[in-house]
Amino acid sequence: MSKGQAVTKHIMGEKPRCIDLRSKIVLTQEGAAFFKNRATGLHSFETPDGDTRYGFKLKIVDVPWLKRLLLAGFVDKAEFPVSDLGSVKSEIGDLARLVVFSILYGYFNSTIIDRAVKTEVIAKWNRTHPHQALDAQNAVSPVELKNALKSRSDAIESIKKEITEPIFRSLLVDQRRTEDERKRLMYFIRELVDTVDPLIYFVLLCSAPLERQKIQQDIIKAINSVLDRVDLADYLSLMVIELMSAAERSTLIELLGPETKPSEVRSILENPEKRRELIQRLPHGLASIMVWSLSKRWALGRWRYRLKLSLYDGSSSFEDTKRMFDERGRLSLGEKSLQELYEHGTGPYGDDGLGWYYLSFIAEACEHMGVHFEAAVKERQGKGTAAVNLVLVF
């Protein structure tokens, strides 16, 4: 797998598009507050605990809009039910990449804000504005600071070039990447520097030349650190598609019933006409479901970003809200590692060995990248798989 494959079309600046996929988006408290007086069609979701949360029920996914929600930190949970994975396989892969990229944006921003608040510029600001003191946990640009920067747009553009051009020069001589991959990565880098909090540019503009140079070098290091992690989006996308394919096989095998000989299962599922017939018989209209659960918490002196990707088969009896709000320990299900499931090699999860390969690849990549990774399976007694959970913490 070559580097840069993870840089997908909708993330990297090609034509915006919509995905024909019904979905549900649950907003964070900040997101709900933002939309309550702005959006029509805001939907209320009742959690299993009886709380009310707000979000959207969508008939199609507007990818650029969803990306903006993610970058603003407005998405708490999302559910993408699929009736036929074959018809939306690439789109599901793109969505898995998109959510990983959104975490990379957050990781980058928190890294460079942590650097900015350690400067003399912010120390001076905090002494002058004790009621608006900034630190790595709460640092966002005050309104007056944002207004002050509007007249300095030319100087800010010059700083952006000083940061990006050394990285672009390195990319141009990187023989591991194709020309198309380089273009996409350059677009991604420009987006990184365009979406940072204006506080960073305030610090750079107000710092002495030598200090400014040091800060810019640290920002360049942070961008390179993010570039080292972009391939994880591609690896995870492959894993998600493999697991959802297994979930779909599990759903369809259940429809076939015990009278079908195991030796006949594969040929039936690979027959397009018979497959269509089975999909039309799905009791819940679903073959598989992908659910996101996103969180951000302050730990050990920095912000940590957590993504839980849960993948369900279509025979799951969970109601929609239970799927979205299912967290560790909420349900009394047996749990074991995904590695154990592959090692047993039975049922839809042991068909071709690709899942085991992807799992090993992601685990090794995450260890190298300093990303915490878990892969667990929740099972109901005598009922088989309830969900496969992939958890990444940046």
Side-chain angles (χ1 to χ4, degrees):
M1 288 177 243
S2 68
K3 287 199 173 186
Q5 287 176 337
V7 185
T8 59
K9 292 180 180 179
H10 64 270
I11 295 169
M12 306 311 290
E14 294 191 4
K15 288 183 181 180
R17 61 190 180 90
C18 293
I19 297 174
D20 186 12
L21 189 67
R22 292 179 181 272
S23 58
K24 301 177 183 69
I25 309 293
V26 179
L27 298 169
T28 60
Q29 289 183 346
E30 295 81 4
F34 178 86
F35 280 108
K36 269 188 177 177
N37 297 321
R38 290 178 173 87
T40 56
L42 203 61
H43 182 81
S44 62
F45 298 91
E46 187 174 334
T47 73
D49 293 336
D51 296 331
T52 301
R53 301 290 300 279
Y54 295 93
F56 299 97
K57 279 189 173 182
L58 307 172
K59 292 183 179 178
I60 58 170
V61 179
D62 180 334
V63 174
W65 174 80
L66 178 57
K67 179 181 173 182
R68 289 194 296 273
L69 283 191
L70 287 164
L71 295 188
F74 285 172
V75 178
D76 180 41
K77 301 180 190 300
E79 181 184 82
F80 304 95
V82 175
S83 57
D84 179 4
L85 185 62
S87 65
V88 290
K89 188 174 282 188
S90 64
E91 288 84 354
I92 286 292
D94 284 350
L95 287 170
R97 291 182 181 100
L98 177 62
V99 71
V100 175
F101 267 87
S102 75
I103 291 178
L104 289 174
Y105 279 97
Y107 169 80
F108 172 69
N109 269 287
S110 62
T111 299
I112 60 173
I113 283 176
D114 180 61
R115 174 65 178 89
V117 297
K118 293 173 181 174
T119 60
E120 179 54 35
V121 171
I122 297 300
K124 184 177 178 181
W125 169 276
N126 288 344
R127 288 194 296 269
T128 311
H129 304 81
H131 298 299
Q132 290 179 295
L134 302 173
D135 59 35
Q137 190 172 0
N138 73 358
V140 289
S141 300
V143 175
E144 57 266 44
L145 188 151
K146 290 179 180 177
N147 291 334
L149 289 175
K150 287 178 181 176
S151 62
R152 305 296 305 276
S153 58
D154 289 344
I156 290 172
E157 285 304 311
S158 178
I159 288 173
K160 288 178 181 179
K161 283 185 179 180
E162 289 173 8
I163 291 169
T164 57
E165 285 182 354
I167 307 172
F168 290 166
R169 286 195 295 270
S170 295
L171 275 177
L172 289 172
V173 296
D174 187 346
Q175 296 303 313
R176 298 168 300 171
R177 304 182 193 274
T178 66
E179 184 178 350
D180 189 51
E181 287 170 350
R182 292 188 196 109
K183 287 179 181 176
R184 293 176 189 277
L185 283 174
M186 286 179 180
Y187 183 90
F188 173 53
I189 292 162
R190 288 191 189 99
E191 274 209 328
L192 279 178
V193 298
D194 283 343
T195 55
V196 299
D197 193 285
L199 178 69
I200 304 301
Y201 297 111
F202 168 74
V203 168
L204 287 166
L205 287 168
C206 296
S207 294
L210 186 60
E211 178 64 10
R212 186 169 103 180
Q213 190 176 11
K214 289 179 181 176
I215 299 167
Q216 287 181 183
Q217 285 300 317
D218 287 338
I219 293 173
I220 290 170
K221 286 179 186 175
I223 292 174
N224 283 324
S225 176
V226 169
L227 291 180
D228 287 341
R229 291 168 166 81
V230 295
D231 290 342
L232 188 56
D234 200 47
Y235 305 153
L236 192 70
S237 171
L238 291 170
M239 183 88 241
V240 165
I241 291 170
E242 174 65 17
L243 287 168
M244 288 189 76
S245 296
E248 183 178 83
R249 287 195 295 272
S250 178
T251 306
L252 298 181
I253 288 169
E254 191 169 315
L255 278 180
L256 289 174
E259 63 275 9
T260 304
K261 295 178 182 177
S263 59
E264 297 174 352
V265 169
R266 184 180 286 273
S267 62
I268 292 172
L269 295 185
E270 290 178 354
N271 181 306
E273 190 174 330
K274 290 180 179 178
R275 177 186 162 81
R276 272 194 301 272
E277 289 174 6
L278 285 171
I279 285 172
Q280 288 171 0
R281 286 171 46 201
L282 289 168
H284 304 290
L286 304 176
S288 57
I289 305 107
M290 175 172 68
V291 176
W292 298 349
S293 182
L294 292 149
S295 62
K296 170 186 170 185
R297 69 185 183 94
W298 183 259
L300 302 175
R302 70 177 182 87
W303 285 110
R304 296 183 182 270
Y305 296 81
R306 180 181 184 269
L307 165 67
K308 184 175 82 166
L309 268 168
S310 297
L311 307 164
Y312 298 83
D313 64 49
S315 62
S316 168
S317 62
F318 288 160
E319 297 169 13
D320 293 347
T321 52
K322 286 185 179 178
R323 272 197 300 264
M324 284 196 294
F325 293 98
D326 167 34
E327 290 295 340
R328 185 182 298 277
R330 175 71 58 81
L331 300 175
S332 56
L333 299 172
E335 186 169 317
K336 61 183 179 182
S337 74
L338 183 58
Q339 182 174 337
E340 289 180 74
L341 191 71
Y342 281 127
E343 284 173 345
H344 290 142
T346 57
Y349 291 88
D351 284 350
D352 51 23
L354 272 180
W356 169 251
Y357 171 76
Y358 294 149
L359 178 65
S360 302
F361 205 92
I362 290 175
E364 186 178 328
C366 284
E367 186 175 357
H368 175 71
M369 297 172 186
V371 176
H372 177 76
F373 174 69
E374 295 175 26
V377 180
K378 285 190 172 183
E379 294 185 310
R380 292 189 197 86
Q381 193 69 34
K383 293 275 188 176
T385 305
V388 175
N389 293 327
L390 306 176
V391 178
L392 295 99
V393 182
F394 289 74

